[in-house]
Amino acid sequence: MTLTQDRRMQIYGALLLLPAAVLLSTFAYLPTILTAGRSVFAPGRAGEPSEFVGMENYAYLLEDPVFLKVAFNNFLYAVGTIPTS
């Protein structure tokens, strides 16, 4: 069975993209997914399993005045620097 030139170019292109896809998945997507999964658990003590708390961690964040101030400052910084770059 022989491959056509077009099919060979498709395979070649896929093989060239494969290392970038693996690195992006390993160092960007996987940590994001794992962090999102861990964020809905309360940290367990040594030897004890973590407790599922759902969105309580996020509710706590939104009630924290320090977090709200930091988030607002980051927003102002982004609005001031992104358009000028």
Side-chain angles (χ1 to χ4, degrees):
M1 179 170 151
T2 61
L3 295 174
T4 64
Q5 183 69 19
D6 189 43
R7 184 69 179 146
R8 283 184 188 182
M9 293 302 287
Q10 289 176 348
I11 293 171
Y12 183 66
L15 289 174
L16 287 175
L17 289 175
L18 186 62
V22 168
L23 289 173
L24 186 63
S25 297
T26 302
F27 295 110
Y29 299 143
L30 184 62
T32 301
I33 293 168
L34 292 177
T35 300
R38 286 183 178 177
S39 71
V40 295
F41 287 91
R45 298 188 181 170
E48 295 180 10
S50 298
E51 177 186 352
F52 180 77
V53 293
M55 302 303 274
E56 288 179 28
N57 290 335
Y58 294 104
Y60 176 74
L61 264 182
L62 293 175
E63 294 172 357
D64 186 9
V66 174
F67 174 78
L68 295 175
K69 178 71 173 171
V70 169
F72 181 71
N73 288 342
N74 279 318
F75 173 75
L76 290 179
Y77 182 79
V79 167
T81 58
I82 293 173
T84 61
S85 62

